[in-house]
Amino acid sequence: DIEFDIALTIEKGASLWLIGDDTITLNNESGSVSADVVGNYALKDEYLEIDNFNYSHPGIIELEVSAGLDFKSDALVEKVGVYLNNWDIGKFLSTYDLSVAAINQHFVIKNWRLGGEVAGTFLYESEGALSLEADFSGINVEDLFQQRIALEGLSGNISWSNSSIMRESIIGWDKLTLLSVEMGPSRFNFETIGETIQVPLIKIPFIPEGELRLANVNCSHCLQPNRHIQLAAQLSPTPINSLWRMTGSDGSPVEGMVETAMPGVSYQNGRMELDGGMTVNLFEGVIELNHLVMEDPAGLLPKLQGDITVRRIDLEALTKTYDFGRITGRVDGHVRDFE
């Protein structure tokens, strides 16, 4: 057998690492960075045991890894333990230059402002058993490039395994801005059983007025492309102007309120079906949308189908808004299977 104990310390300076097609530059102005690994390699069994790999950069990241690699097995990796004792994301990104790195084509690190602290454990054991425990606080995320999302004060604990054992978790944030729509603080509990996530209730307040409630949220096969999501949704009266910002405009050309009650919302394979309906109080009347079906809701050109019912719309208020003359009276109508 071959036993090894290797240690490395960088007191001050810079280093360049090549990882695949990406480069990581460490600019260490003060303090020391240490890395050491202890293990052995069994020549006869062709088995590598890493008892402990420790990477320490005080105040920035403390990481320990253990692993077992069986080079006679097709699976190769027999076990892995990753113990992230502390990771200050903001300090890490200011010390380790990842400006050219990318998680995927949609997440190039230089296009995001990230901060907060994370600690956790990831375990892979024999026969494919996986488990994850993570604690995080003060997480801030901002999309600097497309300005689609900004998240402030994300915190919580996530507990998950791919077994049939139920795990409880909690997550919350101080402020969320999604497509220019501002939302206030929210915090909720959820349960995981393998690839199934269950959330009893999520309350998301809109700024300055309104609240979205998602109840009995159930996501099955969450890690698969054919994941199935079911929930009930209710939107209390919310100003149209608050939601209109999703279009990229500063404000809505009309004033009014939107509310919804959808006892059944289902999503699978790019298709969202909504039981119940949406009510829009507009032009001193009511517009109701029912039997809604949306194809590719997360795509560039989502397709919406359903029924529209118009009740008591004030034509004078409508014509004043769009400035094409003056028409008085009220109108009712119904459109079936619009697209």
Side-chain angles (χ1 to χ4, degrees):
D1 292 356
I2 300 175
E3 296 183 354
F4 52 88
D5 186 344
I6 304 171
L8 172 67
T9 300
I10 302 175
E11 292 294 343
K12 190 175 182 181
S15 61
L16 178 66
W17 305 344
L18 301 178
I19 301 178
D21 295 329
D22 296 328
T23 59
I24 299 177
T25 304
L26 165 59
N27 296 308
N28 188 32
E29 298 295 335
S30 62
S32 63
V33 178
S34 63
D36 59 81
V37 58
V38 178
N40 67 85
Y41 179 69
L43 294 171
K44 182 178 179 180
D45 297 328
E46 296 184 26
Y47 189 87
L48 175 64
E49 180 85 27
I50 299 176
D51 297 319
N52 183 61
F53 167 78
N54 179 70
Y55 185 87
S56 175
H57 195 163
I60 297 179
I61 186 170
E62 300 283 345
L63 175 68
E64 296 180 46
V65 178
S66 62
L69 306 178
D70 186 351
F71 291 93
K72 287 185 176 181
S73 171
D74 292 336
L76 180 60
V77 180
E78 183 179 79
K79 60 182 180 180
V80 174
V82 180
Y83 308 90
L84 183 61
N85 300 317
N86 179 65
W87 182 28
D88 188 312
I89 300 174
K91 291 181 179 179
F92 181 87
L93 293 177
S94 64
T95 305
Y96 296 77
D97 183 4
L98 303 173
S99 60
V100 299
I103 296 175
N104 57 45
Q105 62 178 337
H106 303 294
F107 200 101
V108 180
I109 290 179
K110 68 179 180 181
N111 295 334
W112 295 79
R113 180 181 291 122
L114 306 169
E117 295 187 358
V118 180
T121 302
F122 171 79
L123 299 176
Y124 171 78
E125 300 171 328
S126 59
E127 299 180 359
L130 297 171
S131 64
L132 172 70
E133 294 280 346
D135 293 287
F136 46 94
S137 61
I139 302 295
N140 298 317
V141 180
E142 185 179 358
D143 180 359
L144 301 175
F145 183 59
Q146 295 183 322
Q147 299 182 340
R148 296 167 298 180
I149 185 172
L151 181 61
E152 299 178 15
L154 179 69
S155 62
N157 166 265
I158 293 178
S159 178
W160 173 84
S161 77
N162 63 349
S163 70
S164 58
I165 299 174
M166 188 268 288
R167 302 286 190 97
E168 295 183 352
S169 303
I170 186 170
I171 193 171
W173 61 78
D174 295 331
K175 184 178 180 181
L176 172 63
T177 303
L178 185 62
L179 298 176
S180 299
V181 177
E182 296 184 357
M183 305 171 212
S186 181
R187 195 167 184 85
F188 54 90
N189 299 291
F190 62 96
E191 300 172 349
T192 61
I193 305 175
E195 293 191 15
T196 297
I197 299 176
Q198 298 173 335
V199 190
L201 180 64
I202 305 174
K203 297 180 181 180
I204 304 175
F206 288 97
I207 298 174
E209 183 181 357
E211 181 182 72
L212 175 64
R213 293 192 174 200
L214 306 176
N216 302 319
V217 181
N218 185 87
C219 176
S220 57
H221 307 294
C222 290
L223 302 180
Q224 306 300 325
N226 64 335
R227 68 184 63 89
H228 187 199
I229 303 173
Q230 295 175 298
L231 56 91
Q234 181 178 359
L235 177 67
S236 66
T238 301
I240 290 176
N241 192 57
S242 296
L243 303 178
W244 194 268
R245 297 190 185 98
M246 286 187 178
T247 65
S249 303
D250 293 334
S252 167
V254 298
E255 295 183 359
M257 306 292 285
V258 180
E259 60 181 310
T260 68
M262 299 178 182
V265 179
S266 177
Y267 173 84
Q268 189 172 30
N269 297 325
R271 178 182 174 90
M272 181 181 292
E273 298 183 7
L274 303 93
D275 296 334
M278 177 183 295
T279 300
V280 183
N281 297 304
L282 196 64
F283 303 124
E284 300 180 21
V286 176
I287 300 175
E288 297 177 350
L289 294 89
N290 295 287
H291 308 116
L292 296 175
V293 175
M294 184 176 291
E295 301 281 355
D296 193 21
L300 296 176
L301 295 172
K303 181 180 179 182
L304 183 65
Q305 299 172 303
D307 299 337
I308 300 178
T309 300
V310 177
R311 304 184 191 279
R312 304 287 294 166
I313 294 295
D314 188 327
L315 294 178
E316 185 172 9
L318 173 65
T319 52
K320 281 183 180 179
T321 300
Y322 291 103
D323 194 23
F324 53 78
R326 180 172 179 267
I327 304 174
T328 60
R330 293 184 178 268
V331 65
D332 297 294
H334 190 87
V335 179
R336 291 183 176 87
D337 299 325
F338 79 88
E339 292 188 14

